[in-house]
Amino acid sequence: AGRREQLVFQAVHMVFKWTSELRREEETGRRSRLVVIGKDLDHAQLRADFAACVLSPALTARKAALAAKAEQVCRWARELLPTAFAGEAATVCEVRRSKPECPIETVIKVMLRKPKELTVCKPLVAVTREDIAGVMRSWNDVLRRGATVRALAEQALPQAVRGERVIVDEDEAQHVTGDDFETAIHVLCSPPWSMKVLRRLEEVTQQNVKEVMALASLCGSHGVPSVR
């Protein structure tokens, strides 16, 4: 807007650049044009998808309704946080996944120094207060089960982070170890330290904690040391 030149943007995969050239308004007028080059493109679907992005009163209303829903979900999350994290800030967003059973998830992020993510397998507009209460109950259960490991971790903290807050979590294993779950220990210093014990919460021993803390003291916030 406000320029005599027209801007030409070109993108191929991750390569993106733009150039400017003199606008010939007598031939093209002032308009935006998008050219998509590819094979076997669904022209009708492309036109429909781009048309849905054009700002209109209906789209503006949908955006406002979505923003209001996001604020409502954030408010529920703040109200239902575990007691140990009362007063912490929370954000919410929608994430598209390549999972047929749950193509759109709502992710609530509790803004600790190591943010905690809680997922509801629904689009944002469909999330209810009970959905938020359910994920918070699950998190509370993990905190309860991890109380012993947290106490062991606090006792074993290296001098550099002595006295810092510790949070313990249990995650699905992201690699092939024969274990379905692994225990994560996060020291909420700045920047935070993270470490893993490749066992379920109930199987973590004091020796496991001492070993992973010894590794963490060597790398600090760089990397995520792990022990079995």
Side-chain angles (χ1 to χ4, degrees):
R3 298 182 58 148
R4 293 191 63 248
E5 305 87 2
Q6 61 182 1
L7 300 181
V8 180
F9 295 85
Q10 298 184 64
V12 179
H13 297 296
M14 300 300 293
V15 180
F16 178 87
K17 69 175 183 178
W18 68 271
T19 58
S20 63
E21 57 186 53
L22 188 62
R23 182 192 303 275
R24 297 198 294 178
E25 296 189 25
E26 69 278 6
E27 294 184 9
T28 63
R30 296 182 65 86
R31 61 173 180 163
S32 298
R33 182 172 60 177
L34 181 66
V35 179
V36 180
I37 302 173
K39 294 182 178 179
D40 303 320
L41 300 177
D42 187 334
H43 291 205
Q45 187 62 53
L46 282 171
R47 289 180 181 277
D49 289 344
F50 283 117
C53 297
V54 175
L55 193 62
S56 64
L59 182 58
T60 300
R62 286 199 300 272
K63 285 180 174 290
L66 195 62
K69 181 65 177 185
E71 178 52 40
Q72 182 183 51
V73 171
C74 282
R75 186 169 63 252
W76 291 339
R78 292 192 297 269
E79 292 170 355
L80 296 167
L81 280 170
T83 303
F85 302 105
E88 298 287 355
T91 64
V92 64
C93 67
E94 268 188 349
V95 179
R96 293 186 179 274
R97 305 291 192 191
S98 56
K99 299 188 293 188
E101 71 278 10
C102 187
I104 302 178
E105 296 176 341
T106 296
V107 178
I108 299 98
K109 186 178 290 188
V110 182
M111 302 306 292
L112 308 173
R113 284 182 174 172
K114 176 69 176 181
K116 167 65 179 175
E117 291 189 356
L118 303 158
T119 300
V120 178
C121 191
K122 288 183 178 180
L124 178 59
V125 294
V127 173
T128 66
R129 195 175 195 277
E130 183 52 39
D131 292 326
I132 303 302
V135 295
M136 291 299 178
R137 281 194 297 269
S138 297
W139 187 20
N140 250 321
D141 182 59
V142 172
L143 294 173
R144 177 186 58 77
R145 290 169 49 226
T148 299
V149 176
R150 179 175 59 80
L152 292 173
E154 288 172 342
Q155 293 169 11
L157 284 175
Q159 188 62 41
V161 291
R162 187 67 53 84
E164 294 285 357
R165 195 176 191 183
V166 174
I167 181 172
V168 173
D169 211 342
E170 188 176 67
D171 304 318
E172 290 189 28
Q174 300 298 313
H175 40 73
V176 180
T177 63
D179 302 303
D180 294 330
F181 293 88
E182 56 195 18
T183 296
I185 302 171
H186 305 292
V187 183
L188 302 184
C189 49
S190 182
W193 292 15
S194 295
M195 58 210 81
K196 291 182 179 180
V197 179
L198 306 183
R199 298 183 177 192
R200 297 204 71 142
L201 272 169
E202 290 79 5
E203 299 170 355
V204 176
T205 67
Q206 185 176 24
Q207 186 60 32
N208 294 148
V209 175
K210 287 181 177 180
E211 290 173 356
V212 79
M213 281 292 177
L215 291 174
S217 66
L218 297 176
C219 59
S221 62
H222 304 287
V224 183
S226 61
V227 299
R228 288 189 63 83

